[in-house]
Amino acid sequence: MPRFFVEPDKIRDGQIVIDTEDVAHIKKVLRIREGEVITVCDSCGNDYQAEVIEIAEKQVLCNILSSAHSETEPNISVTLFQGLPKAAKMDYIIQKTTELGIVRIVPCALSRCVVKLENQKAEEKKVSRWQKIAEEAAKQSGRGVIPKISMPVTLAEAIRELQNMDLAFVPYECEEMTSLKKVLTGQKDVCNIGFLIGPEGGFDPAEIEKITAAGIKTVTLGKRILRTETAGEAVLAMTMYELGDINTF
């Protein structure tokens, strides 16, 4: 069944108004007609079964048939802090981690990033495009929430956010003692998790010093070194398996 997202204020009095770019998609691509039923999400984890009752030029009006809390959202909130990679790699990272249940992605400007930050306007344009990629991936994978793509941050800003989370760690290729499994084992009561993935060039040793000095653990993912576009989804899948909802069946 087709799935669409709206802001919560578009749901009122038993009806839903869709007035985004989805209107054209509904009319011209999916060719949905009045009387058909679609799924609409309020971006807060609630799904609505809704009957299309009016298709106008700039909006689609629906009557709510039923509502329920989305069953596709994980029971933990995971944030990925991602060292800025090349554009195509970032697109891939957003798509795959959205499918796996990420809640937020924060691009990070690290010293070995190939991609450097531009002016505010250019960065806002990038984030807007990334947000659309996350929305499309959320629709495709049946999510009840669209992951938020934040504006890029510095390492210092990322560290401050990680320190405020229930569980935070950084996969690092030079770590030999502490495994990701060891960090995750027994952490059944955590709700808010964050991890930082380095860019193509990896972490600068000085960055790791700042991370560990802040009390954030580095972990090893095993003997093989993963690419930056592989590491995020691999870590998220492992985390979801150990603490989230992948292993509930």
Side-chain angles (χ1 to χ4, degrees):
M1 184 179 296
R3 174 177 291 260
F4 305 95
F5 286 89
V6 298
E7 293 299 320
D9 62 3
K10 299 298 180 181
I11 303 173
R12 57 184 179 273
D13 300 325
Q15 293 187 323
I16 300 174
V17 175
I18 301 174
D19 58 4
T20 62
E21 295 176 355
D22 283 330
V23 173
H25 190 67
I26 288 170
K27 293 166 60 176
K28 299 178 181 180
V29 180
L30 297 176
R31 299 184 181 278
I32 291 173
R33 298 288 182 261
E34 294 172 359
E36 293 189 43
V37 177
I38 61 175
T39 299
V40 182
C41 306
D42 64 1
S43 304
C44 297
N46 299 304
D47 293 346
Y48 298 83
Q49 300 305 304
E51 179 186 4
V52 177
I53 61 171
E54 181 182 324
I55 301 177
E57 182 180 354
K58 295 184 178 180
Q59 72 173 34
V60 174
L61 182 63
C62 306
N63 277 340
I64 296 173
L65 302 177
S66 63
S67 64
H69 187 71
S70 175
E71 296 182 353
T72 60
E73 287 306 300
N75 56 2
I76 55 174
S77 174
V78 184
T79 298
L80 163 62
F81 294 82
Q82 174 65 52
L84 278 167
K86 294 179 180 178
K89 293 181 179 180
M90 190 63 172
D91 294 355
Y92 176 88
I93 291 166
I94 292 169
Q95 289 171 345
K96 299 310 172 188
T97 56
T98 294
E99 292 173 20
L100 285 165
I102 203 75
V103 169
R104 182 173 170 234
I105 300 173
V106 185
C108 296
L110 303 175
S111 63
R112 293 182 179 177
C113 287
V114 176
V115 177
K116 302 301 179 183
L117 292 181
E118 302 179 65
N119 58 65
Q120 180 78 7
K121 187 175 181 180
E123 293 306 319
E124 288 176 353
K125 186 176 180 180
K126 283 183 185 177
V127 171
S128 178
R129 189 179 73 82
W130 289 336
Q131 192 65 63
K132 289 181 180 178
I133 292 172
E135 181 175 350
E136 289 305 312
K139 290 176 183 177
Q140 179 273 324
S141 57
R143 293 285 302 272
V145 170
I146 303 171
K148 177 177 174 54
I149 313 300
S150 298
M151 288 293 290
V153 300
T154 64
L155 176 62
E157 291 169 326
I159 287 174
R160 283 196 292 272
E161 288 202 49
L162 286 165
Q163 286 177 310
N164 289 325
M165 294 185 169
D166 297 336
L167 178 64
F169 54 86
V170 177
Y172 180 46
E173 63 269 23
C174 294
E175 174 62 51
E176 296 180 348
M177 300 298 294
T178 305
S179 67
L180 176 59
K181 182 176 178 59
K182 181 178 180 180
V183 168
L184 294 178
T185 298
Q187 300 282 358
K188 298 299 182 182
D189 295 326
V190 299
C191 298
N192 195 3
I193 300 169
F195 63 92
L196 171 62
I197 297 295
E200 287 99 333
F203 289 104
D204 186 284
E207 292 174 327
I208 293 297
E209 288 181 10
K210 292 177 181 177
I211 289 166
T212 55
I216 301 167
K217 294 179 180 180
T218 56
V219 300
T220 176
L221 301 180
K223 297 180 180 180
R224 294 174 292 280
I225 296 176
L226 304 183
R227 291 176 178 268
T228 187
E229 67 270 29
T230 306
E233 62 176 320
V235 171
L236 180 57
M238 295 175 202
T239 302
M240 286 297 181
Y241 178 80
E242 185 67 29
L243 305 178
D245 58 353
I246 289 179
N247 62 346
T248 57
F249 297 102

